[in-house]
Amino acid sequence: MQRSTYISTAAAVVLMVGGPVAAAAAATSDAARTPSAAMAAARADIDATGAAEAAVKHYPGTVESLDEDGAVWHVDVIGKNGKHAELTVDTRSGKVFTEHADGDDDGDNAKENKQLIAAKVSAQKAIKAALAAHPGQVRSVSWDDDDNGGARSWEVEIQPKGGGDTKNVHVDATTGKVTVSSSDSDNDGNDENDENDD
């Protein structure tokens, strides 16, 4: 009888001590299954620069344009082989898919491609310059081949931090100078002058 009392008492002690220990072990096990802050940060959306870098790693060449479209970036690249490739980059994983690649290098396209490849300021540098002047999130980047007094430029669409209307920022493809499109003027119509004050 005395032996059974000892066993019952020992069992009670194990349950009293074991309960919190088991609960702590269960919590640790749950925490291991819950993504840590570091893992969550690692899964953050791929931004414009990340999409451009992933695209040229997959298909070596020069980025011509990129555009965010929901869960993917559409990226156009002029390959080192002269072919034009349309790629998609998953915004979560960074995985790249080739949608289309062709030898689109005849006539005017070949001339435009040479100007793009020869530009001192790449799409990636244009993104960096635009964000330095206008912090926010880049939504699209495109090569502007229109003759604006002979200057080539990149058009970068930025969603400003804190919200508000998107800004269409132009980055000179030779100098890297940043200006805001006149269509984005504020009430006073002096956005470009405001640029020089930043």
Side-chain angles (χ1 to χ4, degrees):
M1 185 69 152
Q2 193 172 10
R3 185 171 176 212
S4 305
T5 304
Y6 289 139
I7 291 173
S8 297
T9 304
V13 169
V14 168
L15 286 174
M16 286 177 17
V17 174
V21 170
T28 302
S29 176
D30 285 344
R33 285 188 291 247
T34 305
S36 67
M39 287 175 69
R43 278 192 241 160
D45 285 351
I46 302 296
D47 64 8
T49 301
E53 289 171 355
V56 295
K57 184 176 181 181
H58 177 80
Y59 194 92
T62 304
V63 173
E64 180 182 25
S65 68
L66 57 98
D67 183 44
E68 186 180 29
D69 184 13
V72 297
W73 285 95
H74 295 288
V75 186
D76 286 354
V77 175
I78 304 303
K80 289 184 177 179
N81 57 7
K83 289 186 177 182
H84 172 255
E86 297 172 5
L87 312 172
T88 57
V89 180
D90 187 283
T91 61
R92 298 299 275 175
S93 68
K95 190 167 183 181
V96 182
F97 303 91
T98 303
E99 299 297 324
H100 183 70
D102 60 28
D104 190 15
D105 57 357
D106 296 331
D108 290 340
N109 288 330
K111 181 181 176 185
E112 181 185 330
N113 292 349
K114 284 180 182 176
Q115 292 169 342
L116 168 65
I117 292 166
K120 290 183 181 177
V121 178
S122 65
Q124 295 91 316
K125 288 179 181 176
I127 291 167
K128 186 174 180 180
L131 288 175
H134 296 282
Q137 185 169 358
V138 171
R139 298 297 181 194
S140 69
V141 179
S142 59
W143 174 251
D144 186 356
D145 62 347
D146 291 338
D147 282 321
N148 297 324
R152 304 285 187 223
S153 65
W154 292 97
E155 184 173 324
V156 184
E157 184 181 0
I158 298 176
Q159 179 69 50
K161 281 187 177 176
D165 294 334
T166 58
K167 288 193 174 289
N168 289 318
V169 178
H170 294 277
V171 181
D172 187 284
T174 302
T175 65
K177 181 180 177 184
V178 178
T179 56
V180 176
S181 170
S182 58
S183 63
D184 287 338
S185 297
D186 291 335
N187 307 358
D188 60 7
N190 293 323
D191 253 356
E192 290 197 31
N193 291 334
D194 293 342
E195 270 310 299
N196 298 327
D197 298 332
D198 285 353

